[in-house]
Amino acid sequence: ACGTPSAGVSNGVIAAEQKLGKTWMVLDLIVSVASDGVWLESFPVERPGPVVAFLGEGGDRKMLRRLRAIAKAKSVELESLPIHLCMRVPHLTNSEHLDEMHQKVNEIPPSLVVIDPLYLAARGAKGSDLYAMGEHLEEVQLIAQGAGAALVIVHHWNQTGQGDGAGRMS
């Protein structure tokens, strides 16, 4: 049950209210990791390499347009980068989706796995139930960890307006 830890690999969450740039932030991260660049013009990438990203909002054209704009701003050619996109997120309780994700991650293997957004991936889970969310997230964490990849999940703050900072995450 303990498994082998992935040295130097971290998991993270990018969370904020709607329309505050979460997807732009994660797209910048994707290009930065794939190009051995600097994330948000401030944070040098410590472990560059291929990226597998599951993007569920915005549509193919919009995401590619944004990725090209970010790559151009970083003076790199998007098509030359080891970025592997899936324009839908896996449902974290669907064994077929998880098998496909596992297969893709093993095929690459990436330095970074991205899921954007969590609310589509964790459908049916109650965000305020920590144990239920743990069940939803454990398998995807193990898939990324097994490949030695960092996992970043994009999440919306709750819409109640209650709480501060991380307390706003449901």
Side-chain angles (χ1 to χ4, degrees), residues 43-98:
F43 307 101
V45 171
E46 293 179 14
R47 207 168 150 268
V51 177
V52 174
F54 300 90
L55 306 174
E57 290 182 327
D60 301 15
R61 288 176 40 167
K62 184 176 184 179
M63 290 301 114
L64 288 172
R65 189 173 60 245
R66 287 179 175 190
L67 283 164
R68 282 191 185 99
I70 292 166
K72 183 177 179 181
K74 294 177 180 290
S75 300
V76 295
E77 180 79 26
L78 179 65
E79 285 70 17
S80 70
L81 299 176
I83 297 172
H84 307 270
L85 300 175
C86 178
M87 294 307 201
R88 80 179 257 233
V89 296
H91 298 155
L92 302 182
T93 56
N94 182 312
S95 60
E96 288 180 26
H97 287 203
L98 292 172

Side-chain angles (χ1 to χ4, degrees), residues 28-48:
D28 189 272
L29 179 62
I30 289 167
V31 172
S32 297
V33 169
S35 67
D36 193 8
V38 178
W39 183 43
L40 301 176
E41 299 182 18
S42 299
F43 307 101
V45 171
E46 293 179 14
R47 207 168 150 268

